[in-house]
Amino acid sequence: MAQTIPSSRSCKSFKNRSMSIVLAKILLALIFLLSISKGSDGQFEDYCIADEQASEYDLLGAMNWACSNGANCTAIQESQPCYLPNTPKDHASYAFNSYYQNMKHQGGGCYFTATAVLTGADPSHDSCKFEYIP
C-alpha cells in the first residue's frame, strides 16, 4: 500500500493557517487588555458599586453597615454632591465604594452580603466623584 506524502505546498498552507490563528488570538488578547480601564500609574482601577439585582431593603442594610464601618458617607447627605439621584442604589454604590477604597488594603472586600460588585468603569457622575485609591 502506497503512503501519500503531503506536498510542500499543503504544508505551507497549514503553517500559514496555524500562524494566522495564533496571530488572531494574540490580537484579541491585546484588544481585551487595552479595553480594561487602567489608572495613570498602570494599575487597574476597580470600583465597588451596588448590584443591579439587589433589593432596596438589602441595599439599605448593607449601606448602613458600610457607613458605620469605614465608609465616608458625607457626600450622600442632603445638599452634598452625591445626594442626587436620591435612590438606595446610588447611595449604596457611593457608600460601598468609599468603604472598599478605604479598607481594601486592610482586607476589606466588595461583597456586602451579595449586594455589591466590582467594576472597572468609574461610576462618577456630574459633581459626584467616586474615590479611587491605588
Side-chain angles (χ1 to χ4, degrees):
M1 181 177 259
Q3 187 174 8
T4 306
I5 299 173
S7 70
S8 64
R9 184 176 210 178
S10 65
C11 285
K12 284 182 183 177
S13 175
F14 176 75
K15 286 180 184 177
N16 286 342
R17 241 181 284 135
S18 295
M19 185 63 84
S20 294
I21 291 170
V22 168
L23 289 174
K25 287 180 179 181
I26 291 171
L27 182 60
L28 285 173
L30 286 173
I31 290 170
F32 172 75
L33 290 173
L34 291 173
S35 70
I36 297 175
S37 155
K38 285 182 22 172
S40 60
D41 62 355
Q43 295 293 316
F44 292 102
E45 294 181 0
D46 52 348
Y47 298 88
C48 182
I49 60 170
D51 188 331
E52 295 284 336
Q53 299 176 12
S55 73
E56 286 189 6
Y57 177 82
D58 290 338
L59 287 173
L60 290 171
M63 178 182 65
N64 288 334
W65 184 90
C67 290
S68 299
N69 288 281
N72 180 351
C73 296
T74 305
I76 56 176
Q77 302 304 311
E78 195 167 356
S79 76
Q80 295 300 309
C82 298
Y83 179 71
L84 295 175
N86 182 15
T87 67
K89 182 182 90 47
D90 289 290
H91 286 189
S93 289
Y94 188 87
F96 293 168
N97 187 67
S98 177
Y99 173 86
Y100 177 68
Q101 298 300 328
N102 291 330
M103 304 302 286
K104 67 184 175 183
H105 296 299
Q106 289 85 37
C110 177
Y111 182 69
F112 301 99
T113 60
T115 60
V117 295
L118 285 174
T119 181
D122 184 350
S124 298
H125 54 88
D126 304 317
S127 63
C128 179
K129 304 301 178 210
F130 279 58
E131 184 176 28
Y132 168 72
I133 299 173

